[in-house]
Amino acid sequence: DGMNVLFIVVDDLRPVLGCYGDKLVKSPNIDQLASQSMVFSNAYAQQAVCAPSRVSFLTGRRPDTTRLYDFYSYWRVHAGNYSTMPQYFKENGYVTLSVGKVFHPGVSSNYSDDYPYSWSIPPFHPSAEKHENDKTCRGKDGKLHANLVCPVNVTEMPGGTLPDIQSTEEAIHLLNIMKASRQKFFLAVGYHKPHIPLRYPQEFLKLYPLENITLAPDPWVPKKLPSVAYNPWTDIRQRDDVEALNVSFPYGALPDDFQRQIRQSYYAAVSYLDVQVGLLLSALDDAGLSNNTIVVFTADHGWSLGEHGEWAKYSNFDVATRVPLMFYVPGMTTSPVSQGARVFPYLDPFSHIGGSVPQGQSKKVVELVSLFPTLAELAGLQVPPVCPEMSFRVELCTEGRSIVHYFNIPEGKVEQGKEGCDDTDRCFNEEPVAFSQYPRPADTPQWNSDKPKLKDIRIMGYSMRTIDYRYTLWVHFDPSNFSANFEDVHAGELYMMESDPNQDNNIYSNTSHGW
């Protein structure tokens, strides 16, 4: 009858997870999922900001086709009436359900999370969501503040809970309803943390003593970084605790001790997220659904933790564009699961020692725009056709390619990024590439550089990432007709991954037009 889908998408999560080799983080439940999954170690978002990235991977189209680079337009009206991944599953007999932050709320999803097109019932939003930016963080002065670093006592929070806790409870409730109804389902669960504010139950700080927290390996602005490429992290500057530091705009560095606190809280928020994922996957076991449900785990983009002197997302660097991506497919990534067997027993990060190794791992460069065709193929649905070059009037097509052919790897073997793939029409003959992009209002950092509105965009940074390099061109962009002029190059970046994995040494100007 085809498999169910549990689609887990996390806000602002870079791959700081045990299964990605991070030695500090405690993420036993996500690592356990990875141990039963195909894990992609080079997966990239199409734009490192929430709404454009989510609309891109949920429609299978790139930002230049959705025409969304900010938060203020609905693609069905503004670009084309494109089918979405959940809509496609719904049209193919699935009950489609949304919990938490899946589409970005507001204009960009028509104030309805694209209901009723994408979802069978109205999406669920946790009631505690509206308090996300309230003054709920107790400062050293004993008063409540709207801080960036915000460990809290959950019992003191409005309603005595937090949004992600509520989302887990609702998702578990829906799993149990689906079990009873015996209908095929596509359940998307969107978690908020580690999105700012870094607000999480304070006990998670115990997992990360401050003396164990290091600074970023490259906490300075690289000498050859074009000023247009720099993101001045304005959303962080507006938090009470950061504002009090009076850091100069745009290049002033945060004090080292505060940098460590941000990194500590980001890790603590990841472990809090891991608990939610663990409870959700354990409930999938409890409902007897682990043997016929595909589980996908990913994020909308990454988040800089002081690398290049930057914080937040809003750039084309790997730290902002690279995401975790894993697929658990019963009978494909694991042997078939017997009814009632536990695949995902809950693991407590406070007592669990040691991480799990991914079941299969691919170093192939892949993109989130490929999620739609990949999930369709895994579920046994017809894979949507590849879009023609101009696809504004084509309702169902995808600009990504299914990556299922990367799954067929001998057990335990880590696939190398260098191998060509079989010469089928679904497969690039050349080396796989991931494309990302980021808009800017000007050549130098402004207060709206991180999130320019469409009318203010003057430059677009188009970036391509292969296994060997990241190459970015910042070119003139006209927002009135959505056109980029590659003859008018404002700046370029070229980083060679083997010798410069952190992307600190821009060699664009050493080469002839970047080559």
Side-chain angles (χ1 to χ4, degrees):
D1 292 339
M3 297 218 201
N4 306 309
V5 177
L6 174 58
F7 180 74
I8 304 170
V9 58
V10 184
D11 215 344
D12 292 17
L13 178 66
R14 59 192 264 164
V16 289
L17 299 164
C19 53
Y20 279 84
D22 192 289
K23 300 287 189 281
L24 185 63
V25 75
K26 293 184 170 53
S27 54
N29 294 289
I30 299 168
D31 297 347
Q32 178 173 251
L33 173 63
S35 75
Q36 307 291 322
S37 297
M38 185 68 198
V39 175
F40 288 87
S41 54
N42 280 306
Y44 297 90
Q46 274 45 76
Q47 191 180 323
V49 70
C50 305
S53 173
R54 288 163 187 265
V55 168
S56 172
F57 68 67
L58 287 163
T59 61
R61 318 270 185 135
R62 301 182 187 281
D64 278 347
T65 306
T66 66
R67 294 184 163 175
L68 182 71
Y69 315 103
D70 58 15
F71 300 82
Y72 308 107
S73 63
Y74 180 41
W75 77 92
R76 290 187 190 274
V77 174
H78 182 69
N81 187 25
Y82 309 144
S83 297
T84 68
M85 175 164 54
Q87 177 185 356
Y88 189 61
F89 276 80
K90 185 182 169 193
E91 288 165 355
N92 279 279
Y94 282 71
V95 176
T96 56
L97 307 159
S98 173
V99 171
K101 186 176 176 182
V102 180
F103 279 100
H104 192 85
V107 185
S108 62
S109 58
N110 203 31
Y111 298 100
S112 66
D113 299 273
D114 198 44
Y115 174 78
Y117 297 101
S118 288
W119 312 108
S120 303
I121 61 172
F124 170 86
H125 284 279
S127 59
E129 214 172 66
K130 60 180 176 284
H131 303 294
E132 268 295 87
N133 296 307
D134 292 0
K135 295 188 173 187
T136 52
C137 322
R138 201 164 293 288
K140 290 182 179 135
D141 57 5
K143 295 178 184 163
L144 293 176
H145 298 271
N147 285 345
L148 170 64
V149 173
C150 187
V152 297
N153 179 339
V154 176
T155 60
E156 293 175 359
M157 291 299 98
T161 189
L162 291 171
D164 286 347
I165 294 171
Q166 290 183 293
S167 290
T168 301
E169 290 164 352
E170 177 66 12
I172 292 170
H173 170 66
L174 290 172
L175 282 177
N176 290 326
I177 290 174
M178 286 294 100
K179 177 196 175 183
S181 77
R182 301 189 166 207
Q183 290 176 281
K184 277 190 307 191
F185 64 83
F186 178 105
L187 170 59
V189 183
Y191 285 115
H192 280 269
K193 292 305 110 177
H195 192 287
I196 67 168
L198 296 169
R199 188 171 70 137
Y200 53 86
Q202 59 201 17
E203 58 268 24
F204 286 92
L205 272 178
K206 294 185 201 131
L207 295 172
Y208 303 102
L210 206 50
E211 60 268 22
N212 294 354
I213 306 295
T214 57
L215 297 180
D218 51 353
W220 57 84
V221 180
K223 285 192 178 68
K224 294 181 182 173
L225 181 70
S227 54
V228 69
Y230 182 77
N231 73 282
W233 36 281
T234 46
D235 56 350
I236 284 178
R237 294 172 192 274
Q238 289 157 17
R239 303 282 162 178
D240 292 357
D241 49 354
V242 180
E243 205 171 13
L245 298 169
N246 283 323
V247 178
S248 65
F249 183 89
Y251 294 115
L254 290 169
D256 286 2
D257 61 334
F258 194 75
Q259 291 194 36
R260 285 193 177 88
Q261 284 177 47
I262 298 175
R263 289 169 68 90
Q264 175 193 39
S265 274
Y266 188 90
Y267 274 91
V270 171
S271 289
Y272 158 58
L273 161 77
D274 183 77
V275 165
Q276 303 310 312
V277 172
L279 293 169
L280 177 60
L281 293 175
S282 178
L284 192 72
D285 271 354
D286 292 341
L289 293 166
S290 300
N291 63 335
N292 64 345
T293 301
I294 296 164
V295 181
V296 188
F297 179 90
T298 192
D300 55 357
H301 43 72
W303 211 78
S304 300
L305 284 166
E307 295 87 0
H308 314 112
E310 295 179 318
W311 300 88
K313 47 250 187 180
Y314 316 123
S315 86
N316 280 319
F317 281 122
D318 275 22
V319 282
T321 55
R322 184 169 167 247
V323 292
L325 178 62
M326 60 190 79
F327 298 84
Y328 162 76
V329 189
M332 183 180 193
T333 62
T334 59
S335 337
V337 183
S338 56
Q339 190 73 36
R342 290 202 76 79
V343 186
F344 304 117
Y346 174 74
L347 302 172
D348 182 352
F350 290 91
S351 57
H352 186 79
I353 312 266
S356 318
V357 179
Q359 169 66 22
Q361 196 168 8
S362 173
K363 291 184 177 176
K364 288 283 189 197
V365 171
V366 297
E367 326 176 81
L368 289 188
V369 77
S370 293
L371 273 170
F372 187 171
T374 302
L375 264 179
E377 182 171 350
L378 289 173
L381 304 180
Q382 191 167 351
V383 178
V386 173
C387 292
E389 195 165 326
M390 293 296 281
S391 64
F392 292 108
R393 288 183 174 77
V394 183
E395 287 188 20
L396 179 65
C397 68
T398 172
E399 293 179 314
R401 307 274 179 129
S402 170
I403 57 173
V404 172
H405 54 282
Y406 292 155
F407 284 45
N408 304 323
I409 292 166
E411 204 168 317
K413 177 176 179 288
V414 175
E415 185 202 31
Q416 297 307 310
K418 285 287 184 192
E419 292 153 18
C421 56
D422 57 342
D423 191 15
T424 68
D425 56 359
R426 292 177 312 172
C427 191
F428 293 108
N429 295 333
E430 64 271 15
E431 193 60 45
V433 176
F435 295 99
S436 304
Q437 61 189 100
Y438 211 86
R440 294 281 188 239
D443 286 298
T444 53
Q446 316 285 316
W447 271 98
N448 64 339
S449 285
D450 291 348
K451 292 188 278 191
K453 292 186 173 174
L454 175 63
K455 66 179 176 56
D456 298 322
I457 297 171
R458 295 292 174 272
I459 303 162
M460 189 69 74
Y462 289 96
S463 193
M464 57 188 285
R465 174 69 155 85
T466 73
I467 202 74
D468 295 319
Y469 61 83
R470 178 174 284 286
Y471 177 57
T472 305
L473 283 180
W474 297 90
V475 302
H476 176 77
F477 185 83
D478 184 343
S480 67
N481 60 7
F482 304 92
S483 67
N485 180 3
F486 282 84
E487 303 296 306
D488 186 356
V489 177
H490 288 234
E493 299 170 79
L494 178 60
Y495 306 100
M496 305 310 293
M497 300 312 301
E498 194 172 351
S499 57
D500 183 24
N502 296 328
Q503 300 168 14
D504 295 321
N505 182 28
N506 178 15
I507 62 167
Y508 175 81
S509 58
N510 309 10
T511 54
S512 169
H513 299 292
W515 291 108

